[in-house]
Amino acid sequence: MTTERARDMEIITRAARLQAVTSKFDEEAKPVGFVPTMGTLHEGHLSLVREARRMADAVIVSIFVNPAQFGQVEDYERYPRELARDADLLAPAGVDYIFAPPVEEIYPKGFSTWVEVRELSEKLEGVARPDHFRGVTTALTILFNLIHPKFAFMGQKDAQQTVIAKKLVRELHLPVEIVVMPTVRETDGLALSTKNQYLTADERQAAPVLYRALRRAEELFNEGERSAAKLSKAVRREVGAEPGAELDYLAITDGERLEPLDDLNDQLALISAAAFFGSTRLTDNIILNDEKFKNKTGRLKLG
Ligand code: AMP
């Protein structure tokens, strides 16, 4: 099975070839599961692929380091690229096609069409990264239009991205369902991220403080604390105790409009944070919710 899958997987680099493949899936009424990534894959990405395999008949993974979502040219250029290794991980996972286009295939010369989810894109991560989400939603729209997936799989690790993607598909009536999967973590709690490889040994030691601090807020919430100010103070205290960490922002918001909350009594709350470990900026988040906010599947619901 594994080897057969491995033999079957094709790496597509051209939009026209991808469209030929996806038109065939359309004709056969085969539901496609799509996992958008920037490559250099880890277990977090693979958890999305596994769910795609479970829910859809065909699985397409895009590997595209999207220049439009990077603020600094340097960050874009130094972002790791490991297509051969990624393909070795994806073939045995039952992926049918990798779409790994060159930049000009997505943004041909003279490209000038942008898709922007206003307001939501300006909050949280959008404060430090003003054009980031515009880049994400533009690339996602192009990919959705090329692939026509029934489901697109995204990680809660990038909670704001999932909320924005859901609004995008709702408002543009894109016929795709965004499926959000839980954050995969190292045993010490650090969320898996491609950026973790930028950390020095000391920074890596310090990095789990981010999730530890979010968990502290969750603990207090479970003990009955509902004041955002008090939870926020607890997170700040925990991160502040780690000299290797510098908090960039911390926000306690609702899970749909991403508006700050004072009181967590009546709704699901999202705590989002970013912190610097040396020059590497890591993000994480946690959802606080009473049982009553869980949906039937037990999945947490943002957006
Ligand atoms: P990226 O390649 O970083 O753009 O991520 C591609 C997808 O993988 C996004 O939907 C991310 O939210 C998701 N992802 C990244 N890290 C994790 C993780 N630790 N657990 C689950 N999903 C993740």
Side-chain angles (χ1 to χ4, degrees):
M1 175 77 180
T2 301
T3 46
E4 197 168 335
R5 280 277 170 207
R7 205 172 52 234
D8 281 345
M9 190 180 76
E10 178 185 336
I11 301 179
I12 297 176
T13 57
R14 298 292 160 201
R17 168 68 189 146
L18 181 65
Q19 281 174 305
V21 164
T22 56
S23 304
K24 193 146 178 292
F25 288 141
D26 288 345
E27 275 162 32
E28 294 165 351
K30 250 190 171 180
V32 172
F34 170 46
V35 182
T37 82
M38 298 205 298
T40 309
L41 303 177
H42 51 61
E43 202 42 47
H45 300 110
L46 295 178
S47 72
L48 307 182
V49 169
R50 278 194 287 271
E51 188 66 359
R53 190 67 269 163
R54 207 179 62 77
M55 289 179 66
D57 285 0
V59 177
I60 301 181
V61 175
S62 64
I63 295 182
F64 179 57
V65 183
N66 176 20
Q69 70 187 68
F70 284 81
Q72 304 270 331
V73 179
E74 312 85 77
D75 289 348
Y76 170 68
E77 267 154 21
R78 85 168 180 152
Y79 199 86
R81 285 139 171 105
E82 301 180 0
L83 182 58
R85 178 184 161 275
D86 290 343
D88 285 346
L89 289 170
L90 292 177
V95 168
D96 298 289
Y97 294 92
I98 294 177
F99 181 49
V103 173
E104 325 78 72
E105 199 68 10
I106 301 297
Y107 304 116
K109 205 165 174 295
F111 183 91
S112 63
T113 304
W114 296 97
V115 182
E116 193 169 2
V117 177
R118 300 290 284 276
E119 294 182 12
L120 279 181
S121 297
E122 289 139 38
K123 296 167 196 266
L124 308 180
E125 281 295 290
V127 174
R129 309 171 73 193
D131 293 328
H132 171 71
F133 289 112
R134 182 180 90 144
V136 170
T137 43
T138 301
L140 270 184
T141 306
I142 295 168
L143 291 167
F144 289 162
N145 284 334
L146 289 171
I147 295 172
H148 314 155
K150 183 168 169 54
F151 306 107
F153 298 84
M154 306 180 95
Q156 193 211 309
K157 163 74 172 55
D158 299 286
Q160 183 177 11
Q161 175 169 278
T162 68
V163 174
I164 291 174
K166 284 184 180 179
K167 191 146 194 272
L168 168 79
V169 305
R170 215 162 47 232
E171 293 188 341
L172 295 187
H173 299 274
L174 302 177
V176 51
E177 182 187 330
I178 306 291
V179 180
V180 180
M181 298 297 292
T183 302
V184 177
R185 300 178 179 281
E186 301 282 5
T187 45
D188 61 10
L190 176 64
L192 298 192
S193 164
T194 306
K195 286 206 225 154
N196 292 350
Q197 57 186 259
Y198 299 153
L199 300 170
T200 64
D202 285 349
E203 289 161 3
R204 174 63 189 82
Q205 284 269 313
V209 74
L210 193 53
Y211 185 54
R212 206 160 60 234
L214 295 172
R215 283 294 299 274
R216 177 71 194 127
E218 183 180 54
E219 236 170 68
L220 293 172
F221 179 85
N222 290 342
E223 287 163 13
E225 183 57 69
R226 292 293 182 271
S227 150
K230 292 216 173 110
L231 296 176
S232 176
K233 202 166 157 197
V235 174
R236 286 178 189 282
R237 192 182 309 121
E238 190 82 27
V239 178
E242 169 55 67
E246 197 194 324
L247 197 62
D248 184 29
Y249 79 86
L250 169 70
I252 304 186
T253 66
D254 70 279
E256 189 170 357
R257 292 166 55 237
L258 307 181
E259 290 286 348
L261 295 175
D262 294 328
D263 173 70
L264 278 57
N265 261 317
D266 298 319
Q267 57 190 315
L268 174 153
L270 171 68
I271 311 191
S272 311
F276 281 99
F277 297 88
S279 59
T280 300
R281 185 175 177 279
L282 299 182
T283 58
D284 206 343
N285 65 80
I286 197 166
I287 299 173
L288 302 182
N289 68 325
D290 284 333
E291 283 303 312
K292 62 187 173 197
F293 299 124
K294 286 198 177 148
N295 70 10
K296 272 184 254 134
T297 62
R299 269 207 186 118
L300 301 168
K301 218 163 155 28
L302 292 176

